[in-house]
Amino acid sequence: MVKASRNGLRLDADFTEDTVGFALESFLAVMSFPRQRFSIEPFSRAKERWLAADARLHGDVRGFCPIYMQFKRPSAYPDFSTAKIIRERKALNLLTSPHALYFDLRQKQQHHWDFQHNILFRLGQRLRSRQLGDAAYVCPLFLERSAYRFHVHLSGLSLWPRFWRHYPWEYEEVLVGDGGRKIRFDRIPVLAEHITVPPHKTVSSAKHRYSFTEAGNELCFHSPEAIPDGATTLAAFLDALSGRFLGGGEKIRSEQANQELQDLMNEVLGDGREVPQSIIEMDASDPIGNWLAWGDYLRLEFGIDQYALVRWED
């Protein structure tokens, strides 16, 4: 059941950010496209967990592009609320009916030198400038856990007939088109029911929010500032990234992976920041392991999950 706040008007989702991350990771992890030698992989593991189990991951990667996602849970105010979010959206002529959904930025922890939002912003800025990936908030467009469960279940049922084949989770025949250069993620219902919001600027305070409609459009950053083109569905987000990836776009190869990681860390963290020794002193012979350690650091320190579009060797 959706939780109402003490003022009786704000509605909070009855699931956590971890629920969102777990549901999407479970769903994305089973997706593969064997004929294209392509998959979406969680790229976040501590060293003790990859040494024995991930020889395939280290030896067979032809190229990859990282994706960073910070999972959010939504809250909402009804149209008749006098909440500041509703007032500001109405002043900008943005829709508020029947509800306006929103999520807050995360507060900076005492041991952090910067806000999670700014880390995510710099990750996306660096990757987009190199055409190597992207970074965004990911938030469901519903408040009830039961609705979330239904959409995940519906996505699974749409692929149920494929369980009778040898490769039930090989989506390629129904989702890959345009000569193998496009994957139709919009045909997966649950992905279309999440909004992605790339951070659009840095902040000096966490007292900001992103709000949007139940359809996932008319984005507003509560300064307030309307951002008409600032959001898209997770399906469209993955469509765009995979389209560039499969269409011959830039990829990180093993031979330059360590340098790309060093440049990314310099951009995101700056000089002199305290990060684990396993990240600072990268193993030149294990570039994939270094990226996995970086993903593990971001997840534990900032709650930012690192995924990767991976092209496997033929």
Side-chain angles (χ1 to χ4, degrees), residues 47-65:
K47 176 168 276 189
E48 61 270 16
R49 298 204 303 273
W50 83 60
L51 289 177
D54 287 342
R56 170 178 173 269
L57 184 61
H58 289 243
D60 294 345
V61 173
R62 182 176 172 184
F64 68 94
C65 288

Side-chain angles (χ1 to χ4, degrees), residues 8-40:
L9 293 179
R10 192 185 78 221
L11 301 173
D12 296 321
D14 61 354
F15 50 84
T16 66
E17 292 179 357
D18 286 343
T19 302
V20 180
F22 179 76
L24 289 177
E25 178 176 335
S26 299
F27 200 85
L28 293 174
V30 297
M31 295 177 64
S32 65
F33 305 85
R35 295 180 189 176
Q36 295 295 319
R37 307 294 293 163
F38 166 79
S39 64
I40 301 174

Side-chain angles (χ1 to χ4, degrees), residues 35-236:
R35 295 180 189 176
Q36 295 295 319
R37 307 294 293 163
F38 166 79
S39 64
I40 301 174
E41 299 283 335
F43 240 51
S44 173
R45 262 160 278 187
K47 176 168 276 189
E48 61 270 16
R49 298 204 303 273
W50 83 60
L51 289 177
D54 287 342
R56 170 178 173 269
L57 184 61
H58 289 243
D60 294 345
V61 173
R62 182 176 172 184
F64 68 94
C65 288
I67 309 169
Y68 295 95
M69 292 186 276
Q70 208 284 296
F71 301 112
K72 305 296 289 188
R73 73 166 189 164
S75 296
Y77 281 105
D79 176 72
F80 53 83
S81 171
T82 59
K84 187 177 180 181
I85 281 181
I86 298 297
R87 298 199 311 269
E88 290 179 343
R89 287 185 64 85
K90 287 181 176 179
L92 293 169
N93 293 316
L94 298 176
L95 287 176
T96 58
S97 179
H99 295 89
L101 301 177
Y102 73 93
F103 60 80
D104 295 299
L105 303 192
R106 185 177 289 190
Q107 292 288 343
K108 183 170 62 174
Q109 301 300 309
Q110 286 187 350
H111 64 287
H112 287 163
W113 66 90
D114 207 349
F115 295 94
Q116 178 200 62
H117 176 90
N118 294 340
I119 300 295
L120 195 66
F121 171 82
R122 289 195 289 271
L123 285 165
Q125 188 177 50
R126 170 70 186 180
L127 293 176
R128 286 190 294 272
S129 70
R130 301 275 293 130
Q131 297 186 342
L132 284 174
D134 211 337
Y137 292 108
V138 178
C139 184
L141 292 171
F142 29 76
L143 296 169
E144 293 189 357
R145 187 185 182 95
S146 59
Y148 205 177
R149 187 185 305 115
F150 170 77
H151 281 85
V152 173
H153 183 61
L154 181 64
S155 292
L157 284 179
S158 69
L159 297 160
W160 177 251
R162 305 185 69 76
F163 277 99
W164 302 106
R165 303 189 182 185
H166 293 296
Y167 301 101
W169 290 103
E170 191 239 296
Y171 289 22
E172 191 162 353
E173 288 182 17
V174 294
L175 296 178
V176 176
D178 298 334
R181 293 186 299 272
K182 183 175 176 60
I183 296 175
R184 298 298 304 274
F185 287 103
D186 59 310
R187 296 188 184 183
I188 305 174
V190 71
L191 300 184
E193 295 295 336
H194 289 75
I195 188 175
T196 59
V197 180
H200 70 297
K201 64 181 181 182
T202 58
V203 299
S204 57
S205 165
K207 295 180 180 179
H208 296 282
R209 296 166 170 174
Y210 283 103
S211 71
F212 40 91
T213 70
E214 291 184 332
N217 52 30
E218 298 203 10
L219 183 69
C220 180
F221 181 69
H222 290 269
S223 285
E225 170 190 1
I227 315 173
D229 301 319
T232 187
T233 66
L234 180 56

Side-chain angles (χ1 to χ4, degrees), residues 233-244:
T233 66
L234 180 56
F237 181 75
L238 293 175
D239 265 346
L241 289 171
S242 64
R244 291 196 301 270

Side-chain angles (χ1 to χ4, degrees), residues 272-285:
R273 302 301 181 190
E274 292 186 5
V275 293
Q277 288 297 113
S278 61
I279 300 295
I280 297 173
E281 299 174 359
M282 292 189 294
D283 184 347
S285 65

